[in-house]
Amino acid sequence: MKTAIKLFARNSKYAIVIGFGLVLLLMVTITVIGLTRMHSINKQMESIVRERDAKSELVMSLRSLSRERAVTIYSMLLMKDPFQLDAAVQHFSQLAGEFIFTRDKLLQMQLNPVERATLQASQLKTRIATQSLERVVELIQAGKLTEAQELLQKKAIPAQKDVFELFNELIEMQRRSTHVAIDRVSHEYRSSVWAVGILGAAAFLLGVGIMMLVVRKAIRIERALYHEKERAEVTLHSIGDAVISTDIAGNVDYLNPVAEQLTGWPAVQARGLPFREICHTIDEISRQPLDHSIASSQMDGWMVGLSRNALLISKSGAEFAIESSITPIRNHTGDSIGFVSVFHDVTTTRSMARQLSWQASHDSLTGLPNRREFERCLTELLNSAKQTDTQHILLYIDLDQFKLVNDTSGHGAGDELLRQLAAIIQTHIRGRDTLARLGGDEFGVLLEECPIDQGRQIAEQLRQVIAEFRFVWEGKTFEIGASMGLVEVTASAENMAALLSSADAACYMAKDKGRNRIWVHQKDNAELLQRHGEMQWVARITHAFEENRFCLYYQSIVAVQPNQPGRQYCEILLRLKDESGRLVSPMAFIPAAERYGMMPLIDRWVIRTMFKWLADNPGSTEQRCYAINISGQSLGDEHFIEFVIDQFHGSGLPAEAICFEVTETAAIANLSRAMRFISILKGLGCRFSLDDFGSGMSSFAYLKNLQVDSVKIDGAFVRDMVTDAVDHAMVEAINRIGHVMGIQTVAEFVENDAILEKLRLLGVDYAQGYGIHKPAPLQLLCDDVRLTAHSAA
């Protein structure tokens, strides 16, 4: 009997071991199958959702862009301000580019035949709608609002609706395809659930049999182990930080070493004391005590956190920035038997976060708020002005002579100057005002709740303080002035960007008026409006370069005297196409380019483009000479002549086919550089012409020093020479002196045959003007070149 019992016990032990092995094997199998299938299903679902979302987002973007273009055109019908209309037209063109980019991105995606066919159909509809919309824009710009509105309602909008319907159809296709895919994945999911369920049932039945063998013994030890297991598990999971555990009454029964260090309480002394006495916390900002007691904690959930701004005050008075949580310890019935509080010391982390936040909003050199923070404060002041109808002042300060300090004493001196000036200015503004460094030697001041008269007084005080300041560096003393632009921040202001633009323009006006002064922005000031226009042209010129909207025209220069030998001439002219494709007169953008130093960039583009065109058109230089204008700024650029020489070498063009035109005023203003420029390029074989000659009669003396081949008589004299005896005499004098010096003469602004006949009688060599030839695109010159070559043959 005993042998049988031992054998049974031994066999039961083996049976339990084998049973647990089988259960474990089944559970592993179930887990592997379940995880594999779930992973596969999740991947399919993610792929479906991701593809559908991407397609839907692109289609919605296309529909939104189409709608925004239509809305933009509607807004154009109501615009009266030409600048606002021009900005709207530019926005309309930008929307078209975004639409094409989005559509191409959608076409690159994996589409089924029906989706691709529908998208291609939408392209055709979009092209029709776009043509109508662009025609509406042209009518609006031409001032034909009635025709534009009629075309918009009868043709453009219906075409746009057709596009919207196709987009809606694409979205509906995505929805249907998503439902089909989800049904397929759902079927796979149900199959997986059945397979896992069958294996799980087998494991469950086997586990029930084994459980019956061990359940009685497990019940006896479960209650004894559960309390210790739960306490040990939570404590072990929290051992990396400061850990304090308590009983149900909130009295401390355990502190780990980190908790002893943070609280300053040894575990032996703290044991049995109330938790709130050991752990004293306050809010870092308000310095008010935080209710971190166990009794008041809401323990319905698993964990309760403390305020993010919490500070722990240790027994010695030391402060630690902490993040804290309290977790209940529960018995097998779910009742709380104590709590574990975990503290994480974030003192270093929080200090670094504050430092990074400060650095993001302040200038590292002066310690002042930076431009980003200044713009945020300006936005707040503008909002307050609109909400409470209060008035503030924006002051834009640009230091005069700062470059002199940098150039003569180095950037170290410049940095020290900025630091000292920042400290001085700060002491002369009110406590509630904001001083910021906007970049370089530019500062901004926000005068809160300040009327215009008081703002002028404060600005004048600051100007005087800066003017009286003497900066000493390595034995040198520098005087620094400041040009200031002052703008009122009122409820009528458009936005923050407009205010900064106005202040910047006003500051430049102060510089233009002689520096070291204050200019108050006024909306109706003609000079300021011109400055605004020029500043806008700078951005438009930059965009024109980026979008390749510059182009070249030519105008023929013909011989006045019959049978006059020599080459044919034409002048190369620069034109710019605006955002809508219309030509813009050079007088609209050249003044802005000259004011902001962009002419060397434009001159380089003209020379590079013209030389390439000549190289690409063989025979264009055999019997023709091309006149190219050079600005005074390019003459003053010491690297410009190197660029011209490199272009000649790179293109292989004969130098005698190029005639550079320099205005009289530019040549006289840069006489030494002009003489060097002309001398070097004439050595290569280039020709030179002095443009707009005669505007200053004193310039006759300079002709002896300038080795020019021809002078272009100022058109102001030529235009009225038939009816004005003085103008006729001026043309005659310039022509006679030019011939005496062996220089050919060219008359500009020849607008009719009567002027041409007078020039012929005076013996002028060449003539140019609308009465002879109107400027034409450079491409048309190809026909003239071919015709000339054919005639020569």
Side-chain angles (χ1 to χ4, degrees):
M1 185 67 179
K2 291 181 179 179
T3 303
I5 293 174
K6 290 180 180 179
L7 182 61
F8 177 76
R10 189 184 301 113
N11 290 338
S12 297
K13 180 174 68 176
Y14 290 141
I16 291 173
V17 172
I18 293 172
F20 271 115
L22 290 175
V23 171
L24 181 61
L25 179 61
L26 281 172
M27 294 304 294
V28 170
T29 303
I30 292 170
T31 302
V32 171
I33 293 174
L35 290 176
T36 302
R37 294 298 297 165
M38 292 305 102
H39 179 72
S40 175
I41 292 170
N42 283 337
K43 285 293 184 182
Q44 293 182 44
M45 288 296 293
E46 289 176 2
S47 177
I48 292 168
V49 172
R50 184 166 53 250
E51 182 178 357
R52 189 260 182 187
D53 286 346
K55 290 180 181 178
S56 297
E57 182 179 357
L58 291 174
V59 175
M60 292 295 288
S61 295
L62 289 173
R63 187 170 64 179
S64 176
L65 288 169
S66 296
R67 182 180 293 108
E68 187 173 355
R69 292 183 75 197
V71 170
T72 300
I73 290 181
Y74 267 119
S75 66
M76 289 181 193
L77 290 171
L78 303 177
M79 292 178 182
K80 296 181 178 179
D81 186 350
F83 291 101
Q84 187 178 10
L85 176 60
D86 188 57
V89 171
Q90 183 177 5
H91 180 59
F92 178 83
S93 299
Q94 291 175 349
L95 290 173
E98 294 177 13
F99 183 93
I100 293 172
F101 175 80
T102 306
R103 183 190 64 200
D104 292 343
K105 192 173 182 181
L106 181 59
L107 283 170
Q108 293 173 4
M109 298 191 68
Q110 186 174 357
L111 304 173
N112 60 43
V114 178
E115 290 174 337
R116 190 167 295 278
T118 304
L119 185 57
Q120 291 173 349
S122 73
Q123 284 184 264
L124 179 59
K125 295 288 186 180
T126 301
R127 191 175 300 113
I128 296 172
T130 299
Q131 291 173 354
S132 300
L133 291 175
E134 290 177 348
R135 178 56 184 163
V136 171
V137 172
E138 293 176 0
L139 290 173
I140 292 173
Q141 290 179 320
K144 301 178 181 179
L145 300 182
T146 303
E147 295 179 27
Q149 187 171 10
E150 184 179 356
L151 178 61
L152 182 65
Q153 293 177 349
K154 291 184 177 181
K155 188 173 180 180
I157 296 304
Q160 196 76 357
K161 288 182 178 178
D162 292 342
V163 175
F164 286 162
E165 290 176 1
L166 289 173
F167 288 159
N168 291 335
E169 205 173 315
L170 280 171
I171 293 173
E172 180 61 23
M173 287 180 187
Q174 294 303 312
R175 188 187 65 80
R176 289 198 299 269
S177 63
T178 301
H179 286 173
V180 172
I182 289 175
D183 290 341
R184 184 178 70 252
V185 173
S186 298
H187 177 72
E188 294 182 7
Y189 177 80
R190 287 192 293 271
S191 299
S192 300
V193 170
W194 273 104
V196 173
I198 292 172
L199 291 175
F204 173 77
L205 293 175
L206 184 60
V208 169
I210 297 172
M211 180 187 66
M212 297 301 295
L213 296 175
V214 297
V215 66
R216 290 184 180 179
K217 185 176 181 179
I219 291 174
R220 286 197 302 269
I221 65 175
E222 180 182 7
R223 292 179 180 175
L225 292 177
Y226 194 91
H227 179 266
E228 293 298 328
K229 169 183 171 296
E230 186 71 5
R231 185 192 299 269
E233 187 173 276
V234 175
T235 302
L236 288 174
H237 277 77
S238 308
I239 201 69
D241 296 316
V243 179
I244 303 176
S245 62
T246 71
D247 56 23
I248 191 62
N251 296 319
V252 175
D253 56 18
Y254 172 79
L255 279 79
N256 72 347
V258 180
E260 290 180 323
Q261 181 181 358
L262 290 180
T263 62
W265 284 86
V268 177
Q269 297 180 14
R271 189 170 292 114
L273 296 177
F275 178 82
R276 68 178 64 186
E277 184 176 341
I278 303 300
C279 181
H280 175 50
T281 56
I282 63 172
D283 185 274
E284 184 177 12
I285 299 174
S286 66
R287 309 297 293 184
Q288 296 297 315
L290 293 175
D291 190 0
H292 196 205
S293 64
I294 297 296
S296 64
S297 299
Q298 301 295 322
M299 288 299 166
D300 294 335
W302 174 250
M303 182 181 293
V304 173
L306 196 61
S307 167
R308 290 187 177 183
N309 299 320
L311 282 180
L312 174 66
I313 310 299
S314 72
K315 186 178 181 181
S316 63
E319 297 182 355
F320 299 94
I322 61 169
E323 291 179 354
S324 172
S325 64
I326 299 176
T327 306
I329 305 173
R330 304 181 186 277
N331 61 14
H332 67 285
T333 62
D335 298 328
S336 295
I337 58 175
F339 303 93
V340 170
S341 182
V342 181
F343 296 88
H344 180 60
D345 184 4
V346 294
T347 303
T348 302
T349 303
R350 196 173 294 176
S351 175
M352 291 178 63
R354 283 195 298 267
Q355 183 179 359
L356 290 174
S357 176
W358 188 92
Q359 291 175 350
S361 60
H362 286 75
D363 173 47
S364 58
L365 177 64
T366 61
L368 297 176
N370 58 17
R371 189 181 192 95
R372 177 181 177 184
E373 179 67 11
F374 184 80
E375 291 177 353
R376 186 192 67 78
C377 294
L378 177 57
T379 301
E380 289 184 356
L381 284 188
L382 179 58
N383 291 335
S384 73
K386 292 181 179 296
Q387 293 170 5
T388 63
D389 199 25
T390 54
Q391 179 179 329
H392 315 288
I393 296 296
L394 164 59
L395 190 61
Y396 199 100
I397 304 174
D398 192 317
L399 300 181
D400 301 328
Q401 306 302 325
F402 176 77
K403 187 174 184 298
L404 177 64
V405 177
N406 268 344
D407 292 345
T408 59
S409 300
H411 290 285
D415 291 346
E416 180 59 27
L417 170 60
L418 292 175
R419 278 191 289 265
Q420 292 185 21
L421 274 180
I424 292 172
I425 296 173
Q426 187 73 63
T427 61
H428 285 81
I429 61 175
R430 303 172 304 176
R432 59 184 174 180
D433 297 333
T434 300
L435 170 64
R437 184 188 178 202
L438 305 182
D441 61 344
E442 298 172 350
F443 293 87
V445 180
L446 295 178
L447 304 177
E448 187 176 347
E449 296 183 4
C450 181
I452 184 66
D453 293 337
Q454 185 180 1
R456 283 196 185 97
Q457 293 176 3
I458 296 176
E460 178 60 26
Q461 291 174 2
L462 294 179
R463 189 198 64 78
Q464 291 180 2
V465 167
I466 296 174
E468 294 169 358
F469 173 68
R470 298 293 180 269
F471 176 65
V472 179
W473 181 267
E474 296 180 349
K476 298 179 182 178
T477 302
F478 298 92
E479 296 182 10
I480 304 297
S483 300
M484 303 184 185
L486 188 148
V487 178
E488 294 181 79
V489 182
T490 62
S492 62
E494 293 182 33
N495 50 46
M496 178 269 296
L499 286 170
L500 285 174
S501 177
S502 298
D504 185 39
C507 184
Y508 271 102
M509 286 300 300
K511 282 187 174 295
D512 284 348
K513 294 299 180 180
R515 300 177 181 268
N516 194 30
R517 65 191 63 226
I518 301 165
W519 186 274
V520 180
H521 172 79
Q522 295 176 347
K523 291 184 178 180
D524 56 351
N525 182 269
E527 293 178 288
L528 201 57
L529 290 175
Q530 180 183 357
R531 170 67 67 176
H532 270 297
E534 290 177 349
M535 292 173 67
Q536 292 173 357
W537 263 116
V538 172
R540 295 183 66 183
I541 290 172
T542 302
H543 292 157
F545 273 114
E546 295 172 351
E547 299 167 7
N548 197 25
R549 287 192 279 106
F550 279 106
C551 59
L552 296 179
Y553 272 51
Y554 80 101
Q555 186 177 31
S556 297
I557 302 174
V558 300
V560 176
Q561 307 303 323
N563 302 322
Q564 183 173 332
R567 287 175 174 264
Q568 300 181 41
Y569 284 86
C570 66
E571 181 178 357
I572 302 304
L573 305 172
L574 178 66
R575 295 293 186 267
L576 180 149
K577 293 180 180 179
D578 66 12
E579 293 76 7
S580 62
R582 295 180 304 176
L583 287 179
V584 178
S585 169
M587 294 310 299
F589 62 88
I590 290 298
E594 290 176 340
R595 178 181 288 274
Y596 290 96
M598 302 183 72
M599 285 308 300
L601 179 65
I602 292 177
D603 288 345
R604 279 175 165 82
W605 183 91
V606 172
I607 291 175
R608 188 185 302 111
T609 304
M610 189 60 200
F611 278 31
K612 183 179 184 305
W613 185 90
L614 292 172
D616 293 342
N617 289 274
S620 59
T621 59
E622 292 181 1
Q623 296 295 328
R624 195 180 299 268
C625 186
Y626 301 89
I628 299 176
N629 290 279
I630 301 297
S631 68
Q633 291 179 4
S634 295
L635 285 178
D637 183 351
E638 59 183 12
H639 301 295
F640 185 75
I641 191 169
E642 299 175 4
F643 165 80
V644 175
I645 294 173
D646 289 342
Q647 291 298 308
F648 271 116
H649 291 163
S651 62
L653 295 177
E656 59 269 16
I658 302 298
C659 176
F660 290 108
E661 289 191 8
V662 182
T663 64
E664 174 192 355
T665 53
I668 295 173
N670 302 273
L671 186 60
S672 60
R673 290 186 182 273
M675 291 173 60
R676 178 176 178 270
F677 186 86
I678 293 174
S679 176
I680 292 175
L681 291 183
K682 279 189 70 69
L684 296 179
C686 295
R687 298 176 63 83
F688 277 86
S689 179
L690 200 58
D691 197 8
D692 294 339
F693 190 81
S695 57
M697 290 302 293
S698 62
S699 59
F700 276 114
Y702 293 103
L703 281 178
K704 295 181 179 180
N705 298 316
L706 296 172
Q707 305 174 37
V708 296
D709 301 281
S710 61
V711 293
K712 300 185 77 172
I713 305 172
D714 194 334
F717 302 131
V718 178
R719 184 190 295 113
D720 298 322
M721 66 176 292
V722 175
T723 57
D724 191 316
V726 175
D727 287 346
H728 184 279
M730 289 291 294
V731 174
E732 183 180 13
I734 295 173
N735 180 64
R736 184 181 298 114
I737 294 175
H739 284 172
V740 168
M741 299 180 68
I743 298 174
Q744 292 183 323
T745 56
V746 182
E748 298 180 298
F749 288 15
V750 180
E751 299 177 352
N752 52 56
D753 292 339
I755 297 176
L756 186 62
E757 181 61 25
K758 287 287 186 181
L759 295 172
R760 184 177 292 110
L761 294 174
L762 290 177
V764 174
D765 299 305
Y766 292 93
Q768 177 184 3
Y770 275 43
I772 297 173
H773 177 250
K774 293 183 178 181
L778 187 60
Q779 292 81 353
L780 298 181
L781 187 58
C782 296
D783 298 334
D784 290 349
V785 170
R786 286 193 294 268
L787 183 61
T788 302
H790 179 71
S791 299

